[in-house]
Each structure stands twice: as C-alpha cells, then as structure tokens.
Amino acid sequence: MPNKKIVIVTDSSAYIPPEAQEGLNISVIPLWLLWEDKSYQDGLDIFPAEFYRRLKESKTLPTSSQPSAQEFADFYQKVLSDADAIVSVLVSSKISGTIASAEAAAAEHPEFGVRIVDSYSSAMGLGLTVLAAARAAGEGRSVDEVVAAAENMRERVNTIFVVDTLEYLHKGGRISGGKRLLGSALNIKPILHFEEGQIRPLSQA
C-alpha cells in the first residue's frame, strides 16, 4: 500500500524564503491585515517591503487577524484535492487565534483528518518547524512521524529577536504599557524571545 501524500499547511507569519521551500510540499494560508478600513491578505495583497514603507508614513497602525474557521475549512478542502493528509503547523496559540480557527475547522470536518501542531513561535522559529515536518513528509514518513518531526524541532528551536521600539509590541497587545514606557524613557533595546509560546524579555542593551 503506497504511503499517504502529506501536505504541510502553515500560515503566512512563517515567512519561509522560497528557496528553502524548494521541492517541499508546503501550502500557506494568509493571515489578514486590517489597515485604514481595508483588508489585505498577507503575502497576496501586501508584502513586507510595502508594509514597512506604509508603516513609516501612515498615521494609523494596522491590526492583524487570523483566517476564520470557514477559511481554514475551504483551504484544507482545496489542499486535499491533491493530497491524502494534512499536518498543519501554525503560529503560537499564545499570540494569535490562528490555531483556534484551525481547530474549529478540523472539528467541523473530521473527515479531513487534519493534525495540528502549535509551533509556540512565529517567523522562522515557526518556519524551521514547518521545514522539519515538510522534509519528513517528503521522505515518505507517516503522519505520526511527520507530527513527531515537527514537535522535535519545536523543542530545539529558540527564537531571539531585538526591536528598535516597544511601541508596536505595546499597541499590538504583546507587552504591557509599563514596559513600553520604561523602555522608551531609558532608551532600552530589549532582547526578546519566545518562551512557552509567549514573547518575553531575555535581556536588554
């Protein structure tokens, strides 16, 4: 009996470089960006270069939103037209409602047989976990083995980053107002990381 064809579904916050995805079966569902009464699908209607240009010029700040459960259901159904199973590796549930939507879609459509993995990260912390799953799928591993490959990578990934200002993390609800004011007053450049799926301070400079 031939092995199942497994596709890895992730969300657009992974930002995996195209060259890293070459030869791998990865499908990306876009997150939504809401800006000045308009909605944009990340990676389809708006791209990072344009986003950062507009961020400097705009008087209003954008907000983001996860795909709805119905959008996930439609996306999964489309993907399954050319696959036998889905392993969905997504942005941390502690900073986004994306996994909640994916779980709702999977519960509504158990026939899809979707397996969902919380990366507890974002950006390339998520991306590396996605790539590990996709490589395992490309090697013909079973669904359980693909999930295990993702979970193993998740435990070994540490995402550390620096921001120039705490303003956007505060306005996006990622850190408290007190931390923002302290950081701004002292010109502190925080070194942040993901810990248990949440953005937390690691050090400062």
Side-chain angles (χ1 to χ4, degrees), residues 2-200:
N3 288 333
K4 287 185 175 182
K5 181 180 179 182
I6 301 169
V7 64
I8 310 303
V9 170
T10 190
D11 61 81
S12 60
S13 74
Y15 291 110
I16 305 171
E19 57 270 24
Q21 300 184 49
E22 201 167 314
L24 299 175
N25 200 352
I26 300 171
S27 291
V28 180
I29 185 168
L31 301 182
W32 285 97
L33 187 71
L34 312 176
W35 207 341
E36 295 177 351
D37 299 323
K38 292 185 179 180
S39 298
Y40 304 89
Q41 286 189 296
D42 184 26
L44 295 179
D45 304 320
I46 192 167
F47 297 88
E50 181 185 356
F51 172 85
Y52 287 113
R53 178 187 60 77
R54 287 188 59 178
L55 189 63
K56 291 180 180 178
E57 299 170 354
S58 178
K59 295 180 180 179
T60 61
L61 288 178
T63 58
S64 61
S65 180
Q66 70 271 16
S68 67
Q70 187 59 55
E71 286 175 296
F72 264 105
D74 293 343
F75 193 84
Y76 287 152
Q77 190 166 43
K78 181 180 177 180
V79 166
L80 284 170
S81 66
D82 191 40
D84 304 306
I86 293 172
V87 175
S88 201
V89 186
L90 301 166
V91 61
S92 172
S93 61
K94 302 293 181 66
I95 66 167
S96 172
T98 301
I99 280 185
S101 289
E103 289 176 338
E108 184 71 21
H109 297 276
E111 70 276 13
F112 290 172
V114 178
R115 298 283 294 276
I116 296 171
V117 178
D118 190 336
S119 70
Y120 299 146
S121 190
S122 186
M124 272 309 291
L126 164 59
L128 291 170
T129 306
V130 170
L131 290 172
R135 289 175 186 136
E139 292 167 1
R141 307 285 183 86
S142 69
V143 171
D144 286 343
E145 289 172 324
V146 170
V147 170
E151 291 175 341
N152 179 269
M153 179 60 76
R154 176 184 68 190
E155 299 307 312
R156 295 188 292 120
V157 166
N158 291 293
T159 305
I160 300 172
F161 59 102
V162 177
V163 294
D164 189 55
T165 173
L166 295 173
E167 177 184 1
Y168 303 123
L169 283 173
H170 167 60
K171 289 183 176 178
R174 280 17 178 204
I175 62 170
S176 71
K179 289 180 179 177
R180 181 189 70 85
L181 290 173
L182 180 63
S184 300
L186 300 179
N187 197 29
I188 290 172
K189 303 301 180 188
I191 301 171
L192 307 171
H193 71 144
F194 275 91
E195 183 180 13
E196 298 177 348
Q198 294 182 313
I199 297 173
R200 292 178 174 165

